[in-house]
mmCIF file of all heavy atoms in Angstrom:
data_model
loop_
_atom_site.group_PDB
_atom_site.id
_atom_site.type_symbol
_atom_site.label_atom_id
_atom_site.label_comp_id
_atom_site.label_asym_id
_atom_site.label_seq_id
_atom_site.Cartn_x
_atom_site.Cartn_y
_atom_site.Cartn_z
ATOM 1 N N ARG A 50 2.741 5.715 -3.425
ATOM 2 C CA ARG A 50 3.166 5.099 -4.675
ATOM 3 C C ARG A 50 4.677 5.185 -4.748
ATOM 4 O O ARG A 50 5.266 6.202 -4.380
ATOM 5 C CB ARG A 50 2.553 5.803 -5.878
ATOM 6 C CG ARG A 50 2.980 5.213 -7.217
ATOM 7 C CD ARG A 50 2.425 6.006 -8.383
ATOM 8 N NE ARG A 50 1.000 5.747 -8.555
ATOM 9 C CZ ARG A 50 0.091 6.708 -8.755
ATOM 10 N NH1 ARG A 50 0.450 7.978 -8.791
ATOM 11 N NH2 ARG A 50 -1.174 6.393 -8.917
ATOM 12 N N ILE A 51 5.285 4.115 -5.249
ATOM 13 C CA ILE A 51 6.703 4.122 -5.550
ATOM 14 C C ILE A 51 6.862 3.738 -7.011
ATOM 15 O O ILE A 51 6.382 2.705 -7.463
ATOM 16 C CB ILE A 51 7.511 3.187 -4.611
ATOM 17 C CG1 ILE A 51 8.999 3.282 -4.913
ATOM 18 C CG2 ILE A 51 7.022 1.745 -4.668
ATOM 19 C CD1 ILE A 51 9.866 2.685 -3.795
ATOM 20 N N MET A 52 7.491 4.624 -7.754
ATOM 21 C CA MET A 52 7.640 4.424 -9.188
ATOM 22 C C MET A 52 8.809 3.481 -9.470
ATOM 23 O O MET A 52 9.620 3.177 -8.588
ATOM 24 C CB MET A 52 7.861 5.775 -9.866
ATOM 25 C CG MET A 52 6.875 6.844 -9.461
ATOM 26 S SD MET A 52 5.160 6.395 -9.809
ATOM 27 C CE MET A 52 5.110 6.672 -11.576
ATOM 28 N N LYS A 53 8.912 3.052 -10.723
ATOM 29 C CA LYS A 53 10.044 2.215 -11.137
ATOM 30 C C LYS A 53 11.361 2.907 -10.836
ATOM 31 O O LYS A 53 12.354 2.267 -10.494
ATOM 32 C CB LYS A 53 9.957 1.941 -12.636
ATOM 33 C CG LYS A 53 8.793 1.085 -13.054
ATOM 34 C CD LYS A 53 8.894 0.760 -14.542
ATOM 35 C CE LYS A 53 8.739 1.996 -15.387
ATOM 36 N NZ LYS A 53 8.811 1.696 -16.836
ATOM 37 N N THR A 54 11.348 4.221 -10.948
ATOM 38 C CA THR A 54 12.556 5.030 -10.726
ATOM 39 C C THR A 54 12.942 5.112 -9.253
ATOM 40 O O THR A 54 14.053 5.531 -8.931
ATOM 41 C CB THR A 54 12.332 6.449 -11.223
ATOM 42 O OG1 THR A 54 11.205 7.013 -10.515
ATOM 43 C CG2 THR A 54 12.047 6.472 -12.720
ATOM 44 N N GLY A 55 12.010 4.750 -8.388
ATOM 45 C CA GLY A 55 12.239 4.883 -6.951
ATOM 46 C C GLY A 55 11.610 6.119 -6.351
ATOM 47 O O GLY A 55 11.571 6.267 -5.129
ATOM 48 N N ASN A 56 11.127 7.007 -7.191
ATOM 49 C CA ASN A 56 10.428 8.184 -6.689
ATOM 50 C C ASN A 56 9.153 7.759 -5.973
ATOM 51 O O ASN A 56 8.489 6.806 -6.364
ATOM 52 C CB ASN A 56 10.081 9.132 -7.829
ATOM 53 C CG ASN A 56 11.305 9.791 -8.428
ATOM 54 O OD1 ASN A 56 12.349 9.856 -7.784
ATOM 55 N ND2 ASN A 56 11.198 10.263 -9.651
ATOM 56 N N THR A 57 8.839 8.499 -4.919
ATOM 57 C CA THR A 57 7.639 8.196 -4.141
ATOM 58 C C THR A 57 6.728 9.411 -4.090
ATOM 59 O O THR A 57 7.183 10.557 -4.227
ATOM 60 C CB THR A 57 7.984 7.770 -2.720
ATOM 61 O OG1 THR A 57 8.715 8.832 -2.072
ATOM 62 C CG2 THR A 57 8.843 6.515 -2.712
ATOM 63 N N ASN A 58 5.454 9.168 -3.899
ATOM 64 C CA ASN A 58 4.541 10.281 -3.668
ATOM 65 C C ASN A 58 3.404 9.840 -2.771
ATOM 66 O O ASN A 58 3.058 8.639 -2.708
ATOM 67 C CB ASN A 58 4.024 10.898 -4.968
ATOM 68 C CG ASN A 58 3.406 9.893 -5.896
ATOM 69 O OD1 ASN A 58 2.284 9.442 -5.679
ATOM 70 N ND2 ASN A 58 4.123 9.533 -6.942
ATOM 71 N N TYR A 59 2.874 10.832 -2.036
ATOM 72 C CA TYR A 59 1.843 10.600 -1.023
ATOM 73 C C TYR A 59 0.832 11.744 -1.048
ATOM 74 O O TYR A 59 1.201 12.888 -1.319
ATOM 75 C CB TYR A 59 2.459 10.578 0.386
ATOM 76 C CG TYR A 59 3.624 9.667 0.573
ATOM 77 C CD1 TYR A 59 4.925 10.096 0.327
ATOM 78 C CD2 TYR A 59 3.430 8.365 1.027
ATOM 79 C CE1 TYR A 59 6.008 9.246 0.503
ATOM 80 C CE2 TYR A 59 4.500 7.518 1.206
ATOM 81 C CZ TYR A 59 5.788 7.966 0.945
ATOM 82 O OH TYR A 59 6.850 7.130 1.127
ATOM 83 N N PRO A 60 -0.426 11.455 -0.737
ATOM 84 C CA PRO A 60 -1.376 12.559 -0.566
ATOM 85 C C PRO A 60 -1.091 13.270 0.754
ATOM 86 O O PRO A 60 -0.452 12.710 1.657
ATOM 87 C CB PRO A 60 -2.730 11.853 -0.543
ATOM 88 C CG PRO A 60 -2.419 10.500 -0.004
ATOM 89 C CD PRO A 60 -1.056 10.141 -0.510
ATOM 90 N N ASP A 61 -1.574 14.489 0.874
ATOM 91 C CA ASP A 61 -1.318 15.272 2.090
ATOM 92 C C ASP A 61 -1.860 14.591 3.341
ATOM 93 O O ASP A 61 -1.317 14.772 4.433
ATOM 94 C CB ASP A 61 -1.942 16.661 1.950
ATOM 95 C CG ASP A 61 -1.198 17.542 0.961
ATOM 96 O OD1 ASP A 61 -0.044 17.213 0.621
ATOM 97 O OD2 ASP A 61 -1.778 18.546 0.513
ATOM 98 N N SER A 62 -2.920 13.799 3.188
ATOM 99 C CA SER A 62 -3.561 13.189 4.355
ATOM 100 C C SER A 62 -2.652 12.202 5.088
ATOM 101 O O SER A 62 -2.854 11.927 6.270
ATOM 102 C CB SER A 62 -4.855 12.474 3.937
ATOM 103 O OG SER A 62 -4.586 11.495 2.955
ATOM 104 N N VAL A 63 -1.637 11.662 4.400
ATOM 105 C CA VAL A 63 -0.765 10.684 5.042
ATOM 106 C C VAL A 63 0.704 11.091 5.012
ATOM 107 O O VAL A 63 1.541 10.414 5.608
ATOM 108 C CB VAL A 63 -0.915 9.286 4.393
ATOM 109 C CG1 VAL A 63 -2.374 8.859 4.361
ATOM 110 C CG2 VAL A 63 -0.300 9.252 3.005
ATOM 111 N N LYS A 64 1.005 12.188 4.339
ATOM 112 C CA LYS A 64 2.397 12.610 4.200
ATOM 113 C C LYS A 64 3.011 12.824 5.585
ATOM 114 O O LYS A 64 2.418 13.482 6.444
ATOM 115 C CB LYS A 64 2.466 13.885 3.372
ATOM 116 C CG LYS A 64 3.834 14.214 2.817
ATOM 117 C CD LYS A 64 3.759 15.385 1.848
ATOM 118 C CE LYS A 64 2.987 15.027 0.598
ATOM 119 N NZ LYS A 64 2.977 16.133 -0.388
ATOM 120 N N GLY A 65 4.192 12.275 5.779
ATOM 121 C CA GLY A 65 4.869 12.382 7.059
ATOM 122 C C GLY A 65 4.514 11.270 8.036
ATOM 123 O O GLY A 65 5.175 11.104 9.061
ATOM 124 N N ARG A 66 3.475 10.512 7.744
ATOM 125 C CA ARG A 66 3.072 9.397 8.611
ATOM 126 C C ARG A 66 3.257 8.044 7.939
ATOM 127 O O ARG A 66 3.575 7.064 8.620
ATOM 128 C CB ARG A 66 1.600 9.559 9.025
ATOM 129 C CG ARG A 66 1.300 10.823 9.788
ATOM 130 C CD ARG A 66 -0.127 10.826 10.352
ATOM 131 N NE ARG A 66 -1.146 10.714 9.334
ATOM 132 C CZ ARG A 66 -2.045 9.727 9.282
ATOM 133 N NH1 ARG A 66 -2.044 8.781 10.205
ATOM 134 N NH2 ARG A 66 -2.953 9.712 8.332
ATOM 135 N N PHE A 67 3.057 7.971 6.639
ATOM 136 C CA PHE A 67 3.183 6.713 5.901
ATOM 137 C C PHE A 67 4.453 6.753 5.057
ATOM 138 O O PHE A 67 4.812 7.802 4.506
ATOM 139 C CB PHE A 67 1.982 6.503 4.975
ATOM 140 C CG PHE A 67 0.675 6.242 5.666
ATOM 141 C CD1 PHE A 67 0.545 6.332 7.053
ATOM 142 C CD2 PHE A 67 -0.441 5.889 4.933
ATOM 143 C CE1 PHE A 67 -0.662 6.078 7.685
ATOM 144 C CE2 PHE A 67 -1.653 5.635 5.553
ATOM 145 C CZ PHE A 67 -1.768 5.735 6.915
ATOM 146 N N THR A 68 5.087 5.603 4.940
ATOM 147 C CA THR A 68 6.286 5.494 4.113
ATOM 148 C C THR A 68 6.223 4.218 3.288
ATOM 149 O O THR A 68 6.055 3.130 3.853
ATOM 150 C CB THR A 68 7.560 5.481 4.970
ATOM 151 O OG1 THR A 68 7.602 6.655 5.792
ATOM 152 C CG2 THR A 68 8.803 5.447 4.081
#
Side-chain angles (χ1 to χ4, degrees):
R50 179 184 286 134
I51 183 165
M52 311 301 283
K53 293 186 294 181
T54 59
N56 291 339
T57 59
N58 54 76
Y59 308 89
D61 288 343
S62 58
V63 307
K64 197 172 293 183
R66 300 189 300 121
F67 291 7
T68 304

